[in-house]
Amino acid sequence: MGHTLWVLGDSTVSAFNDNYYMPRYGYGTALPMFFNDELEVKNLAISGTSSKSFTTRDNYRLFLEGMKPGDFIMLGFGHNDEKHGDVTFTSGSGDKDTEGSFANRLYTSYIKPALENDVTPILITPTVRWVEDGVYKGSDIHITADGDYPEAER
């Protein structure tokens, strides 16, 4: 193995190995099918976490201790960052220098440590929530009263 693609995020990218009442499958599960043996995919994503709460988990420590120059980090957060009154909340407003914002959490906890270790960050804007009528707006596309989460990430 040469380098590693570290996949960090929430249920949208998680690889599930549980007996939930229905099959769950985050898109990060399929990533290894697209690479050869020169890139190892380590999917550390955890369902229910946000960019904030993930930093309290062992998987975050595994990433920080395991990354090496030439690796990549793919960030798939956003869904749970919007939850008010929860340990997962970050604001969709503000930039990388605004404490408490989604952009700041992504930068300080993931992007900056990655860049300091010559690891290439790949940011994935939050996956839209499925709606029955096919009309996507507001919180379905992660634009809430607390800000525009995809734009904060961009």
Side-chain angles (χ1 to χ4, degrees):
M1 288 276 165
H3 296 289
T4 301
L5 170 61
W6 299 88
V7 180
L8 309 181
D10 54 36
S11 62
T12 62
V13 294
S14 293
F16 293 98
N17 295 316
D18 58 25
N19 294 322
Y20 202 67
Y21 73 94
M22 62 188 301
R24 298 188 293 169
Y25 193 90
Y27 66 85
T29 306
L31 289 174
M33 294 186 297
F34 296 96
F35 300 102
N36 61 28
D37 291 343
E38 307 228 354
L39 185 71
E40 178 182 10
V41 177
K42 288 192 178 180
N43 190 337
L44 301 179
I46 301 172
S47 181
T49 60
S50 70
S51 63
K52 179 181 175 182
S53 65
F54 189 85
T55 62
T56 67
R57 308 298 283 272
D58 287 340
N59 286 8
Y60 179 67
R61 182 186 47 77
L62 289 172
F63 162 68
L64 291 178
E65 294 172 358
M67 67 175 155
K68 59 192 179 313
D71 284 354
F72 302 86
I73 175 178
M74 182 176 150
L75 300 172
F77 291 108
H79 275 255
N80 299 314
D81 286 84
E82 300 172 18
K83 293 181 179 178
H84 269 272
D86 191 282
V87 296
T88 62
F89 180 74
T90 62
S91 173
S93 297
D95 62 16
K96 71 175 184 61
D97 298 316
T98 308
E99 193 165 328
S101 72
F102 182 51
N104 176 263
R105 178 59 69 168
L106 291 174
Y107 180 73
T108 59
S109 298
Y110 305 96
I111 298 168
K112 187 175 181 213
L115 293 175
E116 288 171 348
N117 286 282
D118 294 321
V119 172
T120 303
I122 303 167
L123 284 73
I124 310 297
T125 55
T127 305
V128 299
R129 291 184 169 87
W130 183 80
V131 294
E132 204 167 310
D133 63 5
V135 178
Y136 293 90
K137 61 188 179 308
S139 64
D140 303 329
I141 56 173
H142 306 285
I143 299 173
T144 70
D146 295 305
D148 183 330
Y149 288 82
E151 187 58 33
E153 191 157 5
R154 284 190 280 279

